Amino acid sequence: MVQKTPHNDVFAVIDLGSNSFHMLIARHVAGGVHTIGRVKRKVRLAAGLDKYNILSKEAMQRGWECLALFAERLQDIPKYNISIVATATLRLAKNAEEFKTRAEQILQNKINVISGELEAKTIYKGVAHTSACQGRQLVIDIGGASTEVVIGKGFDALLYKSLNMGCVTYLEQFFSDGNLSKANFANAIVAAETVVNPIQKDFIAMGWELAIGASGTVQAIQEILSANGQSDMLTLEKLEDIQLQAIACKTIKQLDLPGLSEERRLVFVSGLAILIALFKSLQIQQMGLAGGALREGVLYGMIPELHNSDICKRTLNSFMDRYHVDKQQASYVAELSLSLVKQLSQYWQLDISQAQKILAAVACVHEIGLIVDYKLYHKHSAYILNHTGMPGYSKLEKQIIVALTASHRADLDMKSFKALCTDELYAQRLTRVIRLAVILSMRRQDDIVPPVLISVDKDDALTLSFESDWLAKHPLMQSELEQEAQYQSKVGWILQIKRD
């Protein structure tokens, strides 16, 4: 018999939530964390709490049956790489120990019932490690029986609170008759505002630059907005419009909104009511979706070398290690593109730090498709990026990086920029820069290319200038640049090569 080798680089996190139980399985490899498995089951544990906070036998049985499924997958993972956390319902349940004792026997692992404050801080950590953290941010996670509200910066949660309201408990309290009436919504929203009021002053006073939702409610709303051809940034106006659409459906049973999954339908309206109350009470202008939350926070906390590292750098290094990218070449392309964009920044009114972040990322990942094939490697690179998470980068930043990567060589397809809307011109300009940087670094040595001057005129025409007769001595480079001018001219971009 072959001896089984313990998977020391594989980690598992189980989250016993009030609405769903989740299992996340990930591998720590190439300096990053890569998800290799997810299992989710709707258990609706909080629905089993009575007015005395006694958890029903039926709810406990649903939970134990789910954990029996999870236990099968845990057999191959070392115990020290497994973390199991329980949240609001098991904090509230007076008979939680009964559930926990049987659950630990099933899982053959300890269950940690975490406090609301620790849950909030861990959720923030998960967001910080998987999303674009820029300045101070407000993070909201609407769970089944509690809602966590956090303001943090970097990896540090600065102000955090766990509130006693959730999409399962509010479903039972305000929509138990199944009716989507104005009165039911109004009662739920007013109740949620009452819960938020005690923290309102402190949170508004601290302030934030970015609001992020880390819950299924926010994801469901984004999917509805997308299905209706709207941008995926949440606003109070959009939430109230969706509320009116829900009311028009009359009952939860008849609730049928484009983009709303059947799995989310039951607890959607209660989560929506809570979110509307939070938008109103905390004066939230707009909100995006986080890349991770509690499970990711627990996972990153289990791997010491990932603590407080530069997320963007970690993401890029992981891509380069995994796809065997020439790191020295990536550095050449990054340096050249930054040199060029600095010369153009004043006329183009570019934020240098933001442009550098995008160009540095493209420099690091544009060649990952070489592992597939050379001929269309830019397309392969873009495909891989488009279907892989990029912690540290916002959704828009990732879209721009994918567009630049797909367009960094050969024929240009202007359709790849259309989805960027107001950032279309910005992405096109950075594309012109990265294409030149890739060509200028084609010899893959930083001492080959002399200082290059680039200028732009009122018609957005670019002019490249080289010292003395450098181009005459490098005919291949000259030929490549002339061909690039032809590629750009096909889409209406002007590129001129100045020969001294």
Side-chain angles (χ1 to χ4, degrees):
M1 180 179 287
V2 178
Q3 184 74 28
K4 284 206 302 184
T5 304
H7 297 165
N8 293 318
D9 59 348
V10 177
F11 295 79
V13 176
I14 293 178
D15 164 17
L16 310 184
S18 300
N19 186 36
S20 304
F21 284 8
H22 298 258
M23 178 165 63
L24 168 65
I25 302 168
R27 173 171 282 118
H28 177 216
V29 64
V33 173
H34 309 297
T35 300
I36 58 173
R38 284 186 187 271
V39 184
K40 173 186 176 182
R41 292 291 183 272
K42 278 273 191 279
V43 175
R44 297 187 62 240
L45 201 63
L49 284 174
D50 65 17
K51 62 182 180 179
Y52 303 108
N53 282 336
I54 300 297
L55 196 56
S56 69
K57 291 287 187 183
E58 292 79 10
M60 288 196 285
Q61 186 61 39
R62 290 197 301 270
W64 292 330
E65 288 173 0
C66 173
L67 296 181
L69 299 177
F70 288 4
E72 179 183 342
R73 185 64 183 84
L74 295 180
Q75 294 178 75
D76 306 320
I77 302 172
K79 284 186 179 293
Y80 49 80
N81 283 1
I82 298 171
S83 184
I84 306 167
V85 296
T87 55
T89 297
L90 292 181
R91 287 197 295 266
L92 293 169
K94 292 180 180 177
N95 57 339
E97 200 58 39
E98 179 185 352
F99 176 84
K100 186 180 165 190
T101 299
R102 174 79 183 278
E104 289 180 341
Q105 290 173 352
I106 293 169
L107 295 170
Q108 292 295 298
N109 279 275
K110 288 290 183 185
I111 295 172
N112 182 18
V113 180
I114 60 176
S115 68
E117 287 70 25
L118 179 57
E119 182 179 359
K121 290 168 71 175
T122 308
I123 287 168
Y124 180 79
K125 183 187 291 184
V127 172
H129 275 281
T130 57
S131 305
C133 300
Q134 298 169 343
R136 193 172 289 174
Q137 54 189 349
L138 170 71
V139 174
I140 289 175
D141 189 330
I142 301 170
S146 69
T147 294
E148 282 63 48
V149 185
V150 191
I151 293 177
K153 187 173 183 180
F155 292 96
D156 300 319
L158 306 174
L159 182 63
Y160 43 91
K161 191 70 177 177
S162 181
L163 304 174
N164 188 23
M165 58 182 184
C167 59
V168 175
T169 53
Y170 267 42
L171 173 68
E172 302 293 326
Q173 290 179 49
F174 301 103
F175 297 93
S176 59
D177 60 4
N179 291 325
L180 299 179
S181 63
K182 291 181 180 179
N184 283 355
F185 263 109
N187 290 336
I189 292 168
V190 169
E193 287 177 325
T194 302
V195 174
V196 179
N197 281 344
I199 72 166
Q200 180 185 45
K201 185 177 178 181
D202 289 342
F203 274 77
I204 290 176
M206 178 166 282
W208 57 87
E209 283 80 51
L210 179 69
I212 302 177
S215 67
T217 296
V218 174
Q219 182 176 351
I221 291 168
Q222 278 202 344
E223 289 167 358
I224 291 170
L225 293 173
S226 178
N228 284 283
Q230 295 178 273
S231 73
D232 58 9
M233 193 61 70
L234 278 63
T235 64
L236 180 58
E237 182 182 3
K238 290 177 180 177
L239 297 183
E240 290 180 332
D241 180 60
I242 291 172
Q243 179 191 347
L244 291 175
Q245 292 178 48
I247 290 171
C249 294
K250 299 188 182 302
T251 67
I252 293 176
K253 189 174 182 180
Q254 294 173 303
L255 183 63
D256 183 19
L257 302 179
L260 179 63
S261 68
E262 176 61 28
E263 181 186 36
R264 197 75 204 171
R265 180 174 58 83
L266 186 61
V267 295
F268 175 71
V269 291
S270 48
L272 175 62
I274 291 171
L275 192 58
I276 288 173
L278 286 161
F279 262 73
K280 288 182 173 180
S281 296
L282 298 181
Q283 300 170 19
I284 300 170
Q285 299 302 309
Q286 57 181 17
M287 176 181 287
L289 179 66
L294 179 64
R295 291 174 293 285
E296 289 76 13
V298 174
L299 175 64
Y300 280 92
M302 295 167 70
I303 307 173
E305 54 264 51
L306 299 182
H307 295 180
N308 299 332
S309 61
D310 182 320
I311 304 174
C312 292
K313 184 178 180 181
R314 189 176 73 211
T315 295
L316 298 177
N317 283 339
S318 178
F319 270 113
M320 290 191 287
D321 288 343
R322 205 183 337 171
Y323 296 103
H324 308 288
V325 170
D326 182 339
K327 293 185 178 182
Q328 194 171 46
Q329 176 65 5
S331 178
Y332 296 160
V333 175
E335 289 174 15
L336 267 167
S337 61
L338 179 59
S339 171
L340 295 174
V341 85
K342 279 182 176 178
Q343 296 177 59
L344 300 168
S345 61
Q346 186 172 356
Y347 189 87
W348 277 350
Q349 296 183 324
L350 296 175
D351 179 334
I352 285 294
S353 61
Q354 181 60 24
Q356 181 179 9
K357 181 181 182 183
I358 297 295
L359 291 170
V362 177
C364 290
V365 301
H366 74 284
E367 289 191 333
I368 61 177
L370 286 173
I371 202 166
V372 180
D373 179 58
Y374 175 77
K375 186 176 182 180
L376 295 174
Y377 81 82
H378 52 301
K379 301 297 184 185
H380 300 314
S381 297
Y383 180 86
I384 292 168
L385 290 173
N386 200 35
H387 293 83
T388 310
M390 290 190 70
Y393 296 89
S394 68
K395 183 177 180 180
L396 177 58
E397 287 172 337
K398 179 182 174 181
Q399 288 176 323
I400 294 173
I401 291 166
V402 171
L404 265 66
T405 301
S407 308
H408 82 265
R409 65 185 288 266
D411 284 311
L412 284 151
D413 181 2
M414 302 304 280
K415 292 177 184 176
S416 61
F417 302 108
K418 292 295 182 185
L420 301 173
C421 301
T422 56
D423 290 277
E424 182 179 356
L425 179 60
Y426 174 71
Q428 289 177 4
R429 285 172 166 173
L430 292 190
T431 296
R432 298 174 75 179
V433 169
I434 201 72
R435 287 175 70 93
L436 291 174
V438 169
I439 293 170
L440 293 170
S441 61
M442 60 182 282
R443 291 279 297 275
R444 308 181 88 85
Q445 295 184 58
D446 65 350
D447 59 348
I448 296 297
V449 181
V452 181
L453 296 179
I454 189 169
S455 59
V456 59
D457 66 17
K458 58 183 176 61
D459 296 319
D460 233 20
L462 297 180
T463 300
L464 274 181
S465 303
F466 295 85
E467 61 183 24
S468 61
D469 59 348
W470 190 87
L471 275 181
K473 295 178 179 178
H474 297 82
L476 177 58
M477 180 71 74
Q478 180 172 329
S479 175
E480 289 292 307
L481 289 170
E482 288 171 348
Q483 185 179 50
E484 174 60 17
Q486 291 177 19
Y487 280 131
Q488 296 202 21
S489 69
K490 289 180 182 178
V491 295
W493 298 346
I494 301 171
L495 173 63
Q496 302 170 100
I497 314 300
K498 190 174 180 183
R499 303 166 180 82
D500 293 330

